[in-house]
Amino acid sequence: MTLLQENSPIKTSDMLIGALLRVPAEAIHRRIIHELNAAGFQELSLPHMALFRFPGPDGVRPSVLAERAGMSKQAMNRLLGSLEDLGYLVRSDAPDEGRARIVRFTKRGHAAWAKALEVLREIEREWRAELGPKDFSQLKELLFRVWESPLIR
Amino acid sequence: MTLLQENSPIKTSDMLIGALLRVPAEAIHRRIIHELNAAGFQELSLPHMALFRFPGPDGVRPSVLAERAGMSKQAMNRLLGSLEDLGYLVRSDAPDEGRARIVRFTKRGHAAWAKALEVLREIEREWRAELGPKDFSQLKELLFRVWESPLIR
DNA sequence: TAAATAAGGTAAACATAGTTTACTCGGAGT
DNA sequence: ACTCCGAGTAAACTATGTTTACCTTATTTA
């Protein structure tokens, strides 16, 4: 029932797609938090990453963000409250729609978002250098096909 | 500062590697939990997945599992305690090494582990059907090269 | 040999972060 | 005017993780 033999090297066929995706995804996640912290955005921790992820919270309503993050409106609201206290964003009234509000980055929020993108681009450069430009493009292309497919619904 | 243009379709180049890895990885994660629950392993929830992941906890020491999962020994110990109460595993004394213990799946634990692997293999079949066998193999091969590289340390 | 040290494991207090339950506010439909 | 609905909010509760502290056993060392 164990998955690996003793003393034999790991092969591609031993690895299932779950671990192959999860491990690098988590590594990227940790690195982004680490570099944001190091760049002066000390307060940002793991739960905040529910917001600092594609396609970002700027201009979006809290309930939509809750939906995207897969959490309750209340939990999202507390996250937003904490980030508002920390000066990363504001929740302003939406002019037209009833009681609706809209999340807007402050200057500091934009700076943090820009830093996160910068780290991600740096990571892409490193991967491209390691795999070679052609294979890296191929990897992104394949993952994009997964993205567009019904596989991940 | 926004990442996307209005009213234009998303292209590969818009997507950064972080989201391309994270979204499918999370989808797989959710599905495994869901199908384990449906298969009679109702009690298993998200935090338990820190153990139900490659290469599995069977035969491993608690402190190693804590290290792998990136959490404290105490937190891991509580997880193990909860799974022990639920009948998925036992912590037996290791015969030689001092106070060391070893985690062992019970029959139920083995069954859950086998089910998780089965779901994963089903997911792989679906992806292979969607992408085609050649491209799917290519995807795994590229991810494996990332796995072996220093990129994810 | 005896004492100090290190490593694995455990326990309790605490902090964090999420869900559940319940409420308010504003707009739309009747 | 009355009801209903959706968005947002608040408070109580729950879970899950960290911090702090301690026990046990083996190894090192004076």
Side-chain angles (χ1 to χ4, degrees), chain A residues 113-141:
Chain A
W113 181 251
K115 177 65 185 178
L117 288 184
E118 187 192 303
V119 172
L120 227 14
R121 296 220 168 83
E122 169 61 21
I123 290 171
E124 291 211 337
R125 271 192 293 279
E126 293 170 7
W127 285 41
R128 194 176 293 113
E130 175 72 25
L131 297 179
K134 200 153 185 168
D135 285 349
F136 179 67
S137 297
Q138 174 76 352
L139 174 58
K140 282 187 73 174
E141 191 61 49

Side-chain angles (χ1 to χ4, degrees), chain B residues 127-140:
Chain B
W127 285 39
R128 195 176 292 114
E130 174 73 25
L131 296 179
K134 200 153 185 172
D135 283 350
F136 179 68
S137 296
Q138 172 77 352
L139 174 59
K140 281 188 73 174

Side-chain angles (χ1 to χ4, degrees), chain B residues 2-129:
Chain B
T2 70
L3 195 52
L4 292 177
Q5 309 298 322
E6 293 287 333
N7 299 326
S8 66
I10 299 178
K11 294 174 303 187
T12 309
S13 51
D14 293 327
M15 302 289 304
L16 295 174
I17 193 72
L20 286 172
L21 289 166
R22 175 175 43 80
V23 172
E26 286 178 357
I28 290 175
H29 203 234
R30 279 194 304 275
R31 175 157 169 200
I32 290 179
I33 294 175
H34 189 262
E35 298 210 21
L36 280 171
N37 293 158
F41 307 105
Q42 276 294 0
E43 318 91 340
L44 297 181
S45 64
L46 199 134
H48 298 126
M49 292 301 110
L51 282 165
F52 279 81
R53 57 172 50 175
F54 179 84
D58 197 56
V60 182
R61 291 216 303 265
S63 53
V64 173
L65 294 171
E67 170 71 23
R68 277 190 198 162
M71 58 170 55
S72 66
K73 292 184 299 177
Q74 295 88 325
M76 176 53 70
N77 225 25
R78 285 178 63 182
L79 250 189
L80 291 171
S82 112
L83 284 175
E84 194 161 22
D85 292 345
L86 293 170
Y88 285 89
L89 54 84
V90 292
R91 285 169 292 182
S92 48
D93 289 345
D96 27 351
E97 294 184 63
R99 208 175 137 71
R101 314 196 84 180
I102 289 186
V103 173
R104 284 288 174 203
F105 273 140
T106 59
K107 194 157 188 151
R108 183 167 178 76
H110 274 120
W113 180 251
K115 177 65 185 178
L117 288 184
E118 188 192 303
V119 173
L120 227 16
R121 296 221 167 84
E122 169 62 21
I123 291 172
E124 291 212 336
R125 274 192 290 280
E126 294 170 7
W127 285 39
R128 195 176 292 114

Side-chain angles (χ1 to χ4, degrees), chain A residues 45 47 70-72 74-75 78-79 96-99:
Chain A
S45 64
M71 58 169 56
S72 66
Q74 295 88 323
R78 286 179 64 183
L79 251 190
D96 26 349
E97 294 183 64
R99 205 173 140 70

